[in-house]
Structure formats: structure tokens, C-alpha cells
């Protein structure tokens, strides 16, 4: 943070305002006593003048000219960078109510509650410790609920919310009557058979649907080779149904333990970009990738990238921090003001280097 001491000297304040750059930034205005004023802006000098320049009295506009003692600011190269800076400063200076100040809402996830003897799914905005599988983050709760309903149509996993006490006299529900549930409530199946169906659902979510698509595709091809065209057509319809279900999923949604990717955003440095790395659903922070010369020679961008990402290890952060940084990522990714690009990485050991290099080039040249 860049700090400017005012100390109640209005002449020093006016001189400082003339020197402040008119760039996107996050800033703090410190009074003599009490909490600071925290905000972000697209034009720092103009915003500070609006808050600190002399005004005729009385005025309905907020004016902190006679209260400010120190100005602190941090320029930002993109809207995403300013969002992260604002979050980190709010968490530091307003630890009890920073989420309320930022209006930061946790994104929804589809959760498989694995600690239940008869696991079920639910839509939640809170991450918890294992055993559980979280699929998301989604754009909105309605989207998550729609995907959950569509995905459950492919499996015979229960949809009821009650804590089951299986009994042959249990009344059951309509999904059991329609053959869309294995009916563990009525002891039609035992815990092991039901857990097997839940495992299939978990694998479907963990692999982004590939486990079911591959199995159906192999069955369809085998039947076609055996000239059983009627059954092969039925399998093909199942294949198309699974693809339709996956289309209900949002672009960022996946098993968060397999959520890998890099957000590439513009940098304040003219010959650099900012890389925001996520690995296994954990925030690894920012890395600046510069294009400067070394000993008068250009250095391979591919080599720099490999060296930089080789150092990216998941930090020892709290579950709360994980949830909040994923909320920041989702807010940026699903926003209308998104700058830069998100490069999803299906497997960390198989990073799409060419795709990442091309995205960096587009962001660096302002064509993203």
C-alpha cells in the first residue's frame, strides 16, 4: 500500500491530491479516531477529490476533508485484482463484518452428504470437511437445483430429506414407485447396494460426466458391432440424455477437489500479466508473469510458465478462506465485467500449455 500522511494539514492534502494517479485502485481514508473508509474506484484522483476537496456548506454529499489524517491506496490492473484487494483489506480491518460490507454471497454447490448411512444430495452454499463431495460453484441457486434434479434422473439415489429408518412398512414415495429410487427406506436394497449407486453418482460428478458417457458409449458401440441396432439406438438415446444433463451445468462447476485453473488478467506493469492460480479448489494467490529480457535476450514464455506453476502448491488455508476465495472467483467469472480469461485445467499433471500461452498473449495485447 502507498501511504500519504496528511496530519490535518489541508495544504498538504491538496498537494497530495494533485499527485495521486488517476488509475483504478483500492483506497483507505484514515480519520483521527475510529474505523477507516474503505472503497475501490476506477479513477482514484477523481474519487478522492470528490471525497476530500472543499465544498460549500451545507452539502448532502459525503465529505471527509476535515477528518482524514492518512491516505493509503493500492493501484489495480483489473477489476478482479481490485476485488481481491478489497476483500483482503476488508477482512483485515473489519474482521467481524467484512462479508456484509462487501456483499459477498457464497455461491451454491450440489453436495453429496457421504457421512449419512444412506447418502443423499442437497444444494448448499457452505463447504464442510470430508466426507462429502461438492460440485460447483454455480451461477445461482436455481441453476444448481435444476442440475441436481436432472442429474438425479440418471441414478436411483433418494431425493427425500429425512433421516431414514428403513422398514418394510415405510410408505415410500412417488420416485420409488416410478423406479427412480432404489427404495432403501423400504429395505428393498441394503446399505451396500445403495452405497454402490451413490458411488456411481459421485464418480459421474467427479469426472464431469465422462464415467457414464464412456460406459454408455462402449455399450452402444459393442451392440452396434453385434448388429443389435434396436438396443444400440436405445443406448444412443441414453448417451444424448446424459449430454443434455451436463449442459445444465455451469461453466465453472466441477468437483471442487478437481477444480484447477488459471485466471489471466491485465497487469499494471505494461510488459506483464497477472496469473491467479487455483489448484484442487484452493487459492494459490497471484503470480506476475513478465516479458522482460534477460541479459538482452528474450526468455521462452513456455519455460517461465512451467517454472512458475511448478512452485504452485496448495497453501495451508482454512476452510472458510477456501470458500470465500472461491466466491470471489465465481463472482468474477459469472460477472458482466469480467476482464481476462479463465483457463480450466482438467488434470494438474496435464496442463494445456499452448492454450494457456495463447490466453496470456491475448490478454497482454488487449484482445481477450
Amino acid at each position: 500500500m502507498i501511504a500519504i500522511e496528511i496530519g490535518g494539514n489541508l495544504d498538504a492534502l491538496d498537494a497530495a491530491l494533485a499527485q495521486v494517479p488517476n488509475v483504478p485502485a483500492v483506497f483507505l481514508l484514515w480519520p483521527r479516531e475510529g474505523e477507516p473508509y474503505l472503497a475501490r474506484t476506477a479513477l482514484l484522483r477523481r474519487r478522492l477529490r470528490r471525497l476530500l476537496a472543499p465544498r460549500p456548506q451545507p452539502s448532502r454529499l459525503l465529505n471527509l476533508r476535515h477528518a482524514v489524517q492518512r491516505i493509503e491506496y493500492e493501484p489495480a490492473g483489473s477489476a478482479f485484482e481490485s476485488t481481491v484487494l478489497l476483500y483482503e483489506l476488508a477482512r483485515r480491518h473489519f474482521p467481524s463484518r467484512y462479508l456484509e460490507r462487501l456483499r459477498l454471497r457464497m455461491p451454491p454447490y450440489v453436495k453429496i452428504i457421504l457421512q449419512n448411512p444412506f447418502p443423499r444430495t442437497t444444494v448448499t452454499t457452505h463447504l464442510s470437511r470430508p466426507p462429502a463431495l461438492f460440485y460447483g460453484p454455480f451461477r445461482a441457486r436455481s441453476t444448481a437445483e435444476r442440475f441436481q434434479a436432472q442429474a438425479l434422473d440418471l441414478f436411483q439415489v433418494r431425493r427425500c430429506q429425512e433421516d431414514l429408518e428403513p422398514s418394510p412398512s415405510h410408505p415410500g414415495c412417488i420416485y420409488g414407485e416410478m423406479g427412480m429410487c432404489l427404495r432403501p427406506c423400504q429395505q428393498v436394497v441394503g446399505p451396500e447396494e445403495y452405497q454402490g449407486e451413490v458411488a456411481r453418482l459421485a464418480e459421474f460428478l467427479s469426472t464431469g460426466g465422462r464415467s457414464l458417457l464412456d460406459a454408455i458409449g462402449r455399450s452402444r458401440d459393442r451392440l452396434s458391432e453385434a448388429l443389435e441396432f434396436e438396443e444400440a439406438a436405445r443406448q444412443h438415446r441414453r448417451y444424448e440424455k446424459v449430454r443434455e444433463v451436463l449442459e445444465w451445468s455451469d461453466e465453472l462447476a466441477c468437483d471442487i477437489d478437481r477444480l484447477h485453473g488459471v485466471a489471466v488478467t491485465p497487469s499494471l506493469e505494461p510488459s506483464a500479466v497477472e496469473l491467479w492460480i487455483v489448484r484442487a479448489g484452493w487459492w494459490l494467490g497471484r503470480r506476475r508473469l513478465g516479458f522482460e529480457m534477460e541479459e538482452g535476450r528474450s526468455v521462452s514464455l513456455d519455460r517461465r510458465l512451467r517454472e512458475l506453476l511448478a512452485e504452485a502448491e496448495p497453501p495451508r488455508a482454512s476452510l472458510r478462506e477456501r470458500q470465500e476465495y472461491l466466491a470471489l472467483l465465481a463472482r468474477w467469472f459469472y460477472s458482466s465485467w469480467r476482464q481476462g480469461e479463465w483457463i480450466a485445467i482438467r488434470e494438474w499433471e496435464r496442463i494445456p500449455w499452448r492454450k494457456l500461452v495463447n490466453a496470456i498473449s491475448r490478454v497482454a495485447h488487449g484482445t481477450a
Side-chain angles (χ1 to χ4, degrees), residues 83-285:
T83 299
V84 174
L85 285 171
L86 188 69
Y87 162 76
E88 292 176 344
L89 288 170
R91 191 176 64 178
R92 183 188 310 165
H93 296 294
F94 310 100
S96 62
R97 49 195 174 88
Y98 63 94
L99 293 179
E100 179 182 343
R101 289 180 63 95
L102 297 175
R103 298 179 182 177
L104 181 61
R105 296 182 178 180
M106 300 300 110
Y109 302 87
V110 173
K111 175 185 179 182
I112 302 181
I113 309 174
L114 296 174
Q115 71 267 30
N116 192 298
F118 296 93
R120 60 180 176 85
T121 65
T122 187
V123 174
T124 180
T125 57
H126 297 284
L127 301 182
S128 61
R129 299 190 182 281
L133 185 148
F134 291 88
Y135 185 90
F138 284 88
R139 186 187 306 270
R141 188 177 189 91
S142 59
T143 312
E145 290 175 345
R146 185 169 54 191
F147 174 78
Q148 175 189 230
Q150 294 289 330
L152 288 177
D153 285 346
L154 303 174
F155 301 91
Q156 293 181 294
V157 175
R158 71 186 181 103
R159 307 186 191 212
C160 55
Q161 305 296 306
E162 63 180 294
D163 290 329
L164 290 185
E165 294 182 4
S167 169
S169 60
H170 194 284
C173 68
I174 189 172
Y175 293 106
E177 297 298 325
M178 295 169 62
M180 300 174 68
C181 176
L182 290 178
R183 296 192 289 175
C185 56
Q186 298 176 319
Q187 293 184 330
V188 173
V189 298
E192 290 185 4
E193 188 175 350
Y194 182 78
Q195 289 278 357
E197 187 70 0
V198 172
R200 289 181 63 239
L201 172 60
E203 187 180 11
F204 172 80
L205 296 178
S206 294
T207 61
R210 294 193 305 276
S211 62
L212 194 54
L213 283 174
D214 291 347
I216 296 174
R218 288 193 298 269
S219 176
R220 178 193 58 190
D221 295 343
R222 186 173 59 253
L223 289 167
S224 181
E225 290 172 1
L227 305 182
E228 298 182 29
F229 299 119
E230 199 170 306
E231 187 62 23
R234 192 179 73 84
Q235 292 298 323
H236 182 72
R237 288 194 294 272
R238 286 187 63 207
Y239 188 90
E240 291 301 317
K241 171 63 176 177
V242 174
R243 291 185 59 182
E244 289 175 9
V245 170
L246 293 174
E247 288 176 359
W248 288 107
S249 178
D250 282 335
E251 303 95 316
L252 197 58
C254 67
D255 174 1
I256 63 167
D257 289 332
R258 301 188 183 193
L259 177 56
H260 314 298
V262 179
V264 186
T265 64
S267 174
L268 283 170
E269 295 294 328
S271 57
V273 295
E274 305 293 340
L275 305 182
W276 310 82
I277 306 169
V278 177
R279 182 175 179 184
W282 292 94
W283 183 262
L284 275 60

Side-chain angles (χ1 to χ4, degrees), residues 139 250-252 328-335 338 342:
R139 186 187 306 270
D250 282 335
E251 303 95 316
L252 197 58
L328 292 175
L329 176 65
R331 172 183 277 191
W332 167 78
F333 184 85
Y334 294 125
S335 71
R338 186 172 82 189
W342 168 257

